[in-house]
Amino acid sequence: MTKEHRIYLDDIPLPQAWERLLSFLKRNHLTGPLEGEHVPLSRAAGRITAEPVWASLSSPGYHASAMDGYAIRSKDSSGATETSPVRIPLGPEGPASYVDTGDPVPPWADAVVMIENADLVNNDTSIEIRAGVAPWTSVRSMGEDMVATELVLPANHCLSPVDLGAIAGSGHATVSVRRKPVVAIIPTGTELISPEAAESRKMNPGEIIEYNSLMLAAQVESWGGEARRHPIVIDDPQLIREALAGAAAEANLVVMIAGSSAGSEDYTASVIGELGEVFVHGIAVKPGHPVILGMVKEPSPVPVIGSPGYPVSCALTGEIFIEPLLSRWLGKQGRRRPEIGAFMSRRLHSAVGAEEFVRVALGEVNGRTIAAPLQRGAGIITSLVKADGILRIPSLSEGVDAGEEVRVSLLRDPEEIKRTIVHIGSHDICLDILAQFIAGHSSRFTSSNAGSLGGLIALKRGEAHIAGSHLLDPETGDFNDSYIRRYLAGEKVVVISFVHREQGLITARSNPKSIRDFSDLTREDLRYVNRQRGAGTRVLLDYNLQSLGIDPQQVPGYDREEYTHLAVAAAVQSGAADCGLGIAAAAQALNLEFVSLAEERYELVTLERFFEGPVLEPLIKILQDPEFLKTVNSMTGYSTADIGKIRRIET
């Protein structure tokens, strides 16, 4: 590797990276808000005012009747009572005259009697009233809402729908708003194909769907910018150079996606350097380490951000750099997400030297908000979909302990978090179906795959409402009860029967290696993929290996772990493993072969106080929902014969 091709030019803290970016912006007079443009009010919602809005007329512009009724002089109603009404003649010049709501009040009048409080008498030539009215009763005085020259809205204000009404009411049909910053987004990579191409044909090995630009463009639009997505550019330095130069000529900011690391086809940094300058390459954050900050010189200085290609890193780059930059150009404060205190569900290690942004699922259990870490890989976009909040771990920290209180930036409404059923335990595909049905009952169901044993421990520590479990007792051949008595000692436990399911070996289509049973797992030509420690599926494997007198270390791949049945199936489908123990539905989902070896009981374990409280009501109802049962029974390897049956265990 040459000196010019170092892995990272920098590995600096986030604040220092921002200092370098701001220094460039200040030198080139790019820190302040963008100029304004006048737009029709019909297109102004959500825009930021570029200058104050002053009323050009008063509203109302005259003394207006606030009700349907009769304009009178208030003094003429003096002395009116139920038993001694006052009669006032009607006439265009008074002393009483009919008015509709919004009509000008005659200049001789100073009050309006509501129509329901007046009776027409004397052949409709007079009115009788039975209560006096004070001056200016039911009259909107001129300028009551706003007075000409009065400030309606300040500059740098985000326009809401009601603001548009106020501007129109003050006499304006247009408003001056900040011009939207234009953000050009250029995805790079020879391996990329569009979502449309992926939908229309079978993907080839090595091809990746390009959706980062779609996600980033939506972020930019939500932050007030104008996103311009460019076509995919293959890994060719000249083509990347041309795309960057063209984009810089039309945009306030250019974002290059992928090619920011130091691989043989990572050209982003070198191309930016050729067209301008790279002042940051590599930031001490996780995920998102290889971010590039730079600029293009011609035709005028334009900042460029090189985003990593992993989707979580890409989204985080948007949050850390693009959103604050757009806020500056729009003249508004950068977004600050609300924070909440939460207690960690498990120990979380973090490498010293990098600030880490961890996605967490949140739920309220026993009056405490619990934060359960989600998968941390930079390529796991679903972790962002499932995330309720972001936990920031400082660069000098080694992580957080289980039960430690932390601050979490919220991605979801706190009221949704309060309505969340928190599941920690064994993974099962039916839990995803359950979550969908629960969503229709104005509740949420979140699931963290910690294995059956991890779920029981979480339940004991007050970190979950419910735990999915299928732990086989090697001595009795029964499921769950002995573990419940051991790990939930002192608790009143309720066990809800959920499903019976087939477990077996998942293999490639047509089972090319003729795998038959557990005894085959020691074959040297096989690569096995296992479940994590504490998973019921792993307990089932160990039980059968022990029964056959097989040392687990005789199984090639025994130490390779995955956290879900679908992850095991994906490892087999990809060719990374020849087989793995899992459920039949996971094999069916990925069109793989399945060698059935056992049937097991998968149950939902909870505590009596949760079972008898309101939190689990939606779940319990859904277990008897005919549509839910039909959906579960339609999947291979499942039976709901005793779903919803309850047994109580005093530990």
Side-chain angles (χ1 to χ4, degrees), residues 168-246:
S170 71
H172 302 285
T174 64
V175 62
S176 177
V177 295
R178 297 287 178 203
R179 184 171 59 81
K180 288 187 175 185
V182 175
V183 181
I185 302 170
I186 305 173
T188 69
T190 304
E191 73 281 9
L192 301 179
I193 65 171
S194 69
E196 292 77 14
E199 185 180 45
S200 63
R201 64 171 175 81
K202 183 179 180 180
M203 292 178 61
N204 298 317
E207 289 185 328
I208 298 173
I209 299 173
E210 195 292 296
Y211 54 80
N212 280 336
S213 66
L214 180 69
M215 174 180 66
L216 195 56
Q219 285 182 312
V220 167
E221 296 284 345
S222 72
W223 295 329
E226 178 185 332
R228 296 182 183 175
R229 293 173 64 200
H230 286 240
I232 296 167
V233 181
I234 64 171
D235 293 317
D236 180 298
Q238 180 58 32
L239 295 178
I240 294 173
R241 188 180 301 108
E242 292 172 1
L244 176 55

Side-chain angles (χ1 to χ4, degrees), residues 456 459 465-469 484 488 493-495 603-607:
L456 297 183
L459 202 57
H465 297 117
I466 200 160
S469 183
I484 289 171
L488 292 174
V493 179
V494 176
V495 181
E603 298 177 312
L604 301 176
V605 183
T606 187
L607 303 181

Side-chain angles (χ1 to χ4, degrees), residues 23-309:
S23 176
F24 157 75
L25 295 173
K26 289 175 182 176
R27 290 196 311 270
N28 293 279
H29 310 290
L30 297 174
T31 55
L34 299 180
E35 68 276 10
E37 60 178 353
H38 278 84
V39 300
L41 293 179
S42 60
R43 295 195 288 109
R47 300 291 294 273
I48 308 297
T49 53
E51 56 189 51
V53 178
W54 304 94
S56 64
L57 49 79
S58 298
S59 178
Y62 53 87
H63 298 321
S65 175
M67 302 286 178
D68 295 340
Y70 299 94
I72 65 169
R73 300 180 185 93
S74 58
K75 65 181 182 180
D76 292 343
S77 68
S78 178
T81 66
E82 284 289 333
T83 57
S84 181
V86 168
R87 181 172 294 187
I88 306 174
L90 286 169
E93 300 299 325
S97 177
Y98 178 79
V99 288
D100 287 317
T101 300
D103 282 351
V105 174
W108 47 262
D110 67 352
V112 172
V113 178
M114 289 190 294
I115 193 169
E116 56 265 37
N117 293 335
D119 296 321
L120 285 168
V121 295
N122 200 22
N123 294 322
D124 296 345
T125 61
S126 299
I127 58 170
E128 273 189 353
I129 57 175
R130 290 176 169 76
V133 293
W136 304 106
T137 297
S138 299
V139 175
R140 296 187 64 214
S141 301
M142 178 178 176
E144 175 188 78
D145 191 0
M146 64 187 80
V147 178
T149 74
E150 181 181 350
L151 178 67
V152 180
L153 291 167
N156 302 322
H157 174 81
C158 183
L159 292 171
S160 69
V162 295
D163 293 333
L164 304 183
I167 296 171
S170 71
H172 302 285
T174 64
V175 62
S176 177
V177 295
R178 297 287 178 203
R179 184 171 59 81
K180 288 187 175 185
V182 175
V183 181
I185 302 170
I186 305 173
T188 69
T190 304
E191 73 281 9
L192 301 179
I193 65 171
S194 69
E196 292 77 14
E199 185 180 45
S200 63
R201 64 171 175 81
K202 183 179 180 180
M203 292 178 61
N204 298 317
E207 289 185 328
I208 298 173
I209 299 173
E210 195 292 296
Y211 54 80
N212 280 336
S213 66
L214 180 69
M215 174 180 66
L216 195 56
Q219 285 182 312
V220 167
E221 296 284 345
S222 72
W223 295 329
E226 178 185 332
R228 296 182 183 175
R229 293 173 64 200
H230 286 240
I232 296 167
V233 181
I234 64 171
D235 293 317
D236 180 298
Q238 180 58 32
L239 295 178
I240 294 173
R241 188 180 301 108
E242 292 172 1
L244 176 55
E250 65 176 24
N252 301 101
L253 171 67
V254 179
V255 181
M256 307 288 292
I257 301 177
S260 66
S261 191
S264 61
E265 295 185 340
D266 289 326
Y267 300 115
T268 299
S270 60
V271 169
I272 294 173
E274 291 172 16
L275 297 178
E277 179 187 353
V278 173
F279 36 85
V280 172
H281 188 185
I283 301 173
V285 297
K286 291 176 60 181
H289 192 189
V291 170
I292 300 169
L293 302 179
M295 55 87 72
V296 170
K297 292 180 180 179
E298 301 294 341
S300 60
V302 172
V304 181
I305 296 176
S307 167

